[in-house]
mmCIF file of all heavy atoms in Angstrom:
data_model
loop_
_atom_site.group_PDB
_atom_site.id
_atom_site.type_symbol
_atom_site.label_atom_id
_atom_site.label_comp_id
_atom_site.label_asym_id
_atom_site.label_seq_id
_atom_site.Cartn_x
_atom_site.Cartn_y
_atom_site.Cartn_z
ATOM 1 N N LEU D 8 8.336 13.615 -11.952
ATOM 2 C CA LEU D 8 9.056 13.584 -13.214
ATOM 3 C C LEU D 8 9.369 15.004 -13.656
ATOM 4 O O LEU D 8 8.550 15.900 -13.509
ATOM 5 C CB LEU D 8 8.173 12.908 -14.261
ATOM 6 C CG LEU D 8 8.613 13.123 -15.708
ATOM 7 C CD1 LEU D 8 8.537 11.839 -16.467
ATOM 8 C CD2 LEU D 8 7.777 14.201 -16.387
ATOM 9 N N SER D 9 10.595 15.191 -14.170
ATOM 10 C CA SER D 9 10.904 16.489 -14.755
ATOM 11 C C SER D 9 12.001 16.345 -15.800
ATOM 12 O O SER D 9 12.729 15.347 -15.810
ATOM 13 C CB SER D 9 11.331 17.493 -13.683
ATOM 14 O OG SER D 9 11.233 18.802 -14.199
ATOM 15 N N GLY D 10 12.091 17.348 -16.655
ATOM 16 C CA GLY D 10 13.111 17.311 -17.692
ATOM 17 C C GLY D 10 13.728 18.681 -17.886
ATOM 18 O O GLY D 10 13.129 19.692 -17.535
ATOM 19 N N ILE D 11 14.933 18.681 -18.428
ATOM 20 C CA ILE D 11 15.584 19.946 -18.794
ATOM 21 C C ILE D 11 16.099 19.793 -20.221
ATOM 22 O O ILE D 11 16.687 18.765 -20.578
ATOM 23 C CB ILE D 11 16.765 20.304 -17.852
ATOM 24 C CG1 ILE D 11 16.251 20.564 -16.426
ATOM 25 C CG2 ILE D 11 17.492 21.548 -18.367
ATOM 26 C CD1 ILE D 11 17.300 21.177 -15.499
ATOM 27 N N LYS D 12 15.869 20.824 -21.034
ATOM 28 C CA LYS D 12 16.346 20.787 -22.417
ATOM 29 C C LYS D 12 17.851 20.997 -22.451
ATOM 30 O O LYS D 12 18.343 21.952 -21.860
ATOM 31 C CB LYS D 12 15.730 21.961 -23.204
ATOM 32 C CG LYS D 12 14.296 21.815 -23.550
ATOM 33 C CD LYS D 12 13.913 22.849 -24.600
ATOM 34 C CE LYS D 12 14.096 24.274 -24.143
ATOM 35 N NZ LYS D 12 13.066 24.771 -23.253
ATOM 36 N N PHE D 41 14.868 13.499 -17.118
ATOM 37 C CA PHE D 41 15.417 13.200 -18.438
ATOM 38 C C PHE D 41 15.965 14.444 -19.122
ATOM 39 O O PHE D 41 15.623 15.575 -18.783
ATOM 40 C CB PHE D 41 14.352 12.538 -19.316
ATOM 41 C CG PHE D 41 13.151 13.413 -19.558
ATOM 42 C CD1 PHE D 41 13.069 14.194 -20.692
ATOM 43 C CD2 PHE D 41 12.122 13.450 -18.639
ATOM 44 C CE1 PHE D 41 11.976 15.007 -20.905
ATOM 45 C CE2 PHE D 41 11.015 14.272 -18.843
ATOM 46 C CZ PHE D 41 10.947 15.049 -19.982
ATOM 47 N N ALA D 43 15.774 16.541 -22.228
ATOM 48 C CA ALA D 43 14.717 16.717 -23.229
ATOM 49 C C ALA D 43 15.319 17.120 -24.577
ATOM 50 O O ALA D 43 15.159 18.248 -25.049
ATOM 51 C CB ALA D 43 13.711 17.750 -22.735
ATOM 52 N N HIS D 46 12.839 18.145 -27.339
ATOM 53 C CA HIS D 46 12.387 19.530 -27.193
ATOM 54 C C HIS D 46 13.447 20.528 -27.667
ATOM 55 O O HIS D 46 13.117 21.601 -28.168
ATOM 56 C CB HIS D 46 12.035 19.838 -25.734
ATOM 57 C CG HIS D 46 10.672 19.388 -25.348
ATOM 58 N ND1 HIS D 46 10.440 18.215 -24.679
ATOM 59 C CD2 HIS D 46 9.466 19.951 -25.548
ATOM 60 C CE1 HIS D 46 9.137 18.077 -24.477
ATOM 61 N NE2 HIS D 46 8.524 19.107 -24.991
ATOM 62 N N GLN D 110 5.123 30.817 -23.754
ATOM 63 C CA GLN D 110 6.451 30.471 -24.250
ATOM 64 C C GLN D 110 6.489 30.441 -25.778
ATOM 65 O O GLN D 110 7.468 30.854 -26.386
ATOM 66 C CB GLN D 110 6.900 29.120 -23.680
ATOM 67 C CG GLN D 110 8.306 28.755 -24.134
ATOM 68 C CD GLN D 110 8.874 27.556 -23.404
ATOM 69 O OE1 GLN D 110 8.991 27.525 -22.192
ATOM 70 N NE2 GLN D 110 9.249 26.541 -24.155
ATOM 71 N N TYR D 129 5.008 21.980 -29.072
ATOM 72 C CA TYR D 129 5.894 21.674 -27.938
ATOM 73 C C TYR D 129 5.126 21.215 -26.683
ATOM 74 O O TYR D 129 5.476 20.205 -26.065
ATOM 75 C CB TYR D 129 6.690 22.958 -27.681
ATOM 76 C CG TYR D 129 7.727 22.981 -26.605
ATOM 77 C CD1 TYR D 129 9.084 23.075 -26.928
ATOM 78 C CD2 TYR D 129 7.393 22.992 -25.253
ATOM 79 C CE1 TYR D 129 10.051 23.153 -25.949
ATOM 80 C CE2 TYR D 129 8.357 23.062 -24.264
ATOM 81 C CZ TYR D 129 9.687 23.144 -24.617
ATOM 82 O OH TYR D 129 10.645 23.218 -23.643
ATOM 83 N N MET D 133 5.445 17.780 -24.373
ATOM 84 C CA MET D 133 5.701 17.873 -22.931
ATOM 85 C C MET D 133 4.606 17.144 -22.152
ATOM 86 O O MET D 133 4.884 16.474 -21.152
ATOM 87 C CB MET D 133 5.798 19.342 -22.521
ATOM 88 C CG MET D 133 6.049 19.523 -21.043
ATOM 89 S SD MET D 133 6.772 21.135 -20.702
ATOM 90 C CE MET D 133 6.373 21.285 -18.955
ATOM 91 N N ASP D 136 5.508 13.557 -22.326
ATOM 92 C CA ASP D 136 6.606 13.267 -21.384
ATOM 93 C C ASP D 136 6.035 12.966 -20.006
ATOM 94 O O ASP D 136 6.453 12.040 -19.316
ATOM 95 C CB ASP D 136 7.519 14.488 -21.188
ATOM 96 C CG ASP D 136 8.212 14.952 -22.444
ATOM 97 O OD1 ASP D 136 8.339 14.150 -23.373
ATOM 98 O OD2 ASP D 136 8.623 16.141 -22.476
ATOM 99 N N ILE D 137 5.117 13.825 -19.632
ATOM 100 C CA ILE D 137 4.570 13.740 -18.280
ATOM 101 C C ILE D 137 3.641 12.529 -18.154
ATOM 102 O O ILE D 137 3.831 11.666 -17.302
ATOM 103 C CB ILE D 137 3.788 15.034 -17.940
ATOM 104 C CG1 ILE D 137 4.735 16.246 -17.952
ATOM 105 C CG2 ILE D 137 3.081 14.902 -16.601
ATOM 106 C CD1 ILE D 137 4.031 17.599 -17.854
ATOM 107 N N VAL D 145 4.895 17.277 -10.922
ATOM 108 C CA VAL D 145 5.843 17.672 -11.956
ATOM 109 C C VAL D 145 6.564 18.931 -11.483
ATOM 110 O O VAL D 145 6.009 20.033 -11.527
ATOM 111 C CB VAL D 145 5.121 17.971 -13.286
ATOM 112 C CG1 VAL D 145 6.129 18.270 -14.385
ATOM 113 C CG2 VAL D 145 4.238 16.808 -13.691
ATOM 114 N N VAL D 147 8.489 22.029 -11.794
ATOM 115 C CA VAL D 147 8.842 22.928 -12.898
ATOM 116 C C VAL D 147 9.007 24.346 -12.366
ATOM 117 O O VAL D 147 8.539 24.662 -11.276
ATOM 118 C CB VAL D 147 7.742 22.989 -13.990
ATOM 119 C CG1 VAL D 147 7.749 21.760 -14.864
ATOM 120 C CG2 VAL D 147 6.370 23.249 -13.404
ATOM 121 N N GLN D 151 6.946 27.263 -16.657
ATOM 122 C CA GLN D 151 6.436 26.037 -17.283
ATOM 123 C C GLN D 151 5.072 25.620 -16.750
ATOM 124 O O GLN D 151 4.508 24.613 -17.158
ATOM 125 C CB GLN D 151 7.432 24.894 -17.073
ATOM 126 C CG GLN D 151 8.746 25.090 -17.787
ATOM 127 C CD GLN D 151 8.579 25.133 -19.285
ATOM 128 O OE1 GLN D 151 7.840 24.343 -19.867
ATOM 129 N NE2 GLN D 151 9.233 26.088 -19.926
HETATM 130 N N1 LIG B 1 9.716 22.478 -21.190
HETATM 131 C C1 LIG B 1 10.622 22.320 -20.084
HETATM 132 C C2 LIG B 1 11.556 23.537 -20.029
HETATM 133 O O1 LIG B 1 11.737 24.204 -21.005
HETATM 134 C C3 LIG B 1 11.422 21.061 -20.210
HETATM 135 C C4 LIG B 1 10.546 19.871 -20.223
HETATM 136 C C5 LIG B 1 10.278 19.087 -21.290
HETATM 137 C C6 LIG B 1 9.824 19.342 -19.112
HETATM 138 N N2 LIG B 1 9.453 18.083 -20.951
HETATM 139 C C7 LIG B 1 9.131 18.210 -19.623
HETATM 140 C C8 LIG B 1 9.678 19.712 -17.772
HETATM 141 C C9 LIG B 1 8.296 17.455 -18.800
HETATM 142 C C10 LIG B 1 8.850 18.940 -16.970
HETATM 143 C C11 LIG B 1 8.163 17.828 -17.482
HETATM 144 O O2 LIG B 1 12.124 23.790 -18.994
#
Side-chain angles (χ1 to χ4, degrees):
L8 164 136
S9 197
I11 295 191
K12 286 194 299 283
F41 62 95
H46 278 99
Q110 182 170 302
Y129 182 111
M133 179 158 160
D136 298 338
I137 297 171
V145 185
V147 284
Q151 294 297 317

